[in-house]
Amino acid sequence: MNDGPDDQSLDGLDSEELALRRMLHQAVGQIQPTDAVLDHLRRAVPARRARKRHAAIGMAAAALLIGTAVPALLHVSNATGTASDPSVIAGHGSQTKEDKNSSTGPDGGESTSGGNTSGSVESKPSSIPSGGAATPDKGGSGGSTTGATSPMDTPGPPATCEATQLGSATGSVGDPDATGAVYGTFRVVNVSTTPCTVSGDGTVATTAQGAADPTKVSSADHSAGDAAANLPDPSLAVSGLVLQPGAAYTVQFAWVPSEACPTTGTTTDGGTTGGPTESPSPTPTASPDVTTTTEGGDGGPTTQLVTEDGTPADGSVAVSYTTDAGSPTVTATVANACAGVVYKTGVMAETT
């Protein structure tokens, strides 16, 4: 007796395979679907069909996009010059028409023969001279031009001024003001034909002369609130000043005395008081009313001329300026100066 309709197809199975088949049937024979299976199938089947429809629509849209984008991409890749700009491609027809209208000759006739749009654009000669600058192309590297200046190519400051470029140096000294301070100016000119950069403030040196005491003469940088009130504000000094050909810069200074030059007078017994002691051997070249005295100090003995009527001794301070390049050097002399401080500014741009 047959077990069922499928038993006719099981003739080729051996006994072990048939036994395994019966065991599998028995294992799943007691499984029954739940009550919610039918509802789940009613929801899942329409959802699966909707996903398939969406996938089919997406594939069709992608195929349409590829079909329209590839020809446009090939057209752009074949274009040259400014034709690679998408904005130029969009207005291709109108530009070609304008180009044809603008190429008419003096008698009003067209100077070029007609043709297809792409051919007329590609064969149109460039109006930009060879090697000349042109407006940068917004479309990318296809519109790059020759000779255009890039912001990265901006030249830096000129080289540092050399000694041969600086000259016509002058020094001037004014009259003492109400406080006894004396103001002066050093001026240096760029005598070359090329601009250069003043890299440093230079050097200001002082030299005591005559009755001036070297130990009481010094120099200092000008600062806000110091004794040289009439010097420019320190903030006006320029660092790295670019000096054009023929232009000049200045360094200003002020001599502020700390004490007056010494005086000497004649005593009743013929001696001197109030100043340096008289030299035991005056020089023969001295005038009758002048005695030669020697004053000691850190700088060594120095010869001074002291009058016997009590007037101030002759002393002065030479103020010299040397550029940062080492040359030139210019000197200005402050008269009636024996002790004090020279205040100096930095480099100032000369104003006209």
Side-chain angles (χ1 to χ4, degrees):
M1 184 177 179
N2 296 332
D3 295 335
D6 294 335
D7 290 343
Q8 296 177 357
S9 61
L10 302 177
D11 294 340
L13 300 177
D14 58 18
S15 59
E16 292 181 357
E17 292 175 344
L18 291 173
L20 178 60
R21 182 174 181 273
R22 284 193 298 269
M23 291 174 61
L24 292 175
H25 284 185
Q26 291 174 1
V28 299
Q30 301 300 324
I31 297 177
Q32 298 294 331
T34 62
D35 297 337
V37 170
L38 183 59
D39 294 337
H40 175 72
L41 293 176
R42 289 174 178 173
R43 291 192 303 270
V45 172
R48 182 178 180 184
R49 291 175 180 173
R51 286 195 297 270
K52 287 183 177 181
R53 286 195 302 269
H54 294 164
I57 294 173
M59 292 177 63
L64 179 62
L65 179 62
I66 294 173
T68 57
V70 169
L73 181 62
L74 294 176
H75 179 73
V76 171
S77 63
N78 290 331
T80 59
T82 57
S84 61
D85 192 336
S87 61
V88 175
I89 295 174
H92 195 275
S94 60
Q95 290 181 0
T96 303
K97 184 177 180 181
E98 292 175 359
D99 292 340
K100 292 181 63 178
N101 292 336
S102 61
S103 61
T104 56
D107 56 353
E110 295 184 359
S111 59
T112 58
S113 59
N116 58 51
T117 304
S118 59
S120 61
V121 173
E122 293 177 357
S123 61
K124 179 181 178 180
S126 173
S127 59
I128 303 174
S130 176
T135 303
D137 185 8
K138 299 180 180 179
S141 60
S144 61
T145 59
T146 304
T149 301
S150 170
M152 298 299 293
D153 297 335
T154 303
T160 302
C161 293
E162 299 180 358
T164 56
Q165 293 180 279
L166 302 176
S168 300
T170 58
S172 60
V173 177
D175 296 328
D177 62 9
T179 64
V182 178
Y183 292 86
T185 302
F186 297 111
R187 182 177 183 270
V188 181
V189 182
N190 179 4
V191 295
S192 69
T193 58
T194 58
C196 62
T197 302
V198 181
S199 60
D201 295 338
T203 304
V204 173
T206 58
T207 303
Q209 301 180 133
D213 188 349
T215 63
K216 296 181 180 181
V217 176
S218 61
S219 62
D221 292 331
H222 172 53
S223 60
D226 61 18
N230 290 336
L231 284 179
D233 190 276
S235 63
L236 299 178
V238 182
S239 177
L241 174 66
V242 176
L243 204 61
Q244 298 296 330
Y249 75 87
T250 62
V251 173
Q252 301 183 35
F253 69 93
W255 164 257
V256 179
S258 58
E259 57 184 85
C261 287
T263 59
T264 57
T266 303
T267 61
T268 56
D269 57 359
T272 58
T273 60
T277 58
E278 182 179 353
S279 172
S281 301
T283 57
T285 57
S287 60
D289 60 342
V290 176
T291 58
T292 303
T293 61
T294 302
E295 181 182 20
D298 294 340
T302 57
T303 302
Q304 300 178 357
L305 299 179
V306 182
T307 58
E308 292 183 350
D309 57 0
T311 59
D314 184 13
S316 62
V317 174
V319 184
S320 61
Y321 172 74
T322 304
T323 66
D324 196 64
S327 178
T329 298
V330 60
T331 302
T333 301
V334 181
N336 194 25
C338 295
V341 180
V342 173
Y343 294 93
K344 57 186 176 67
T345 69
V347 171
M348 301 281 181
E350 186 179 56
T351 58
T352 57

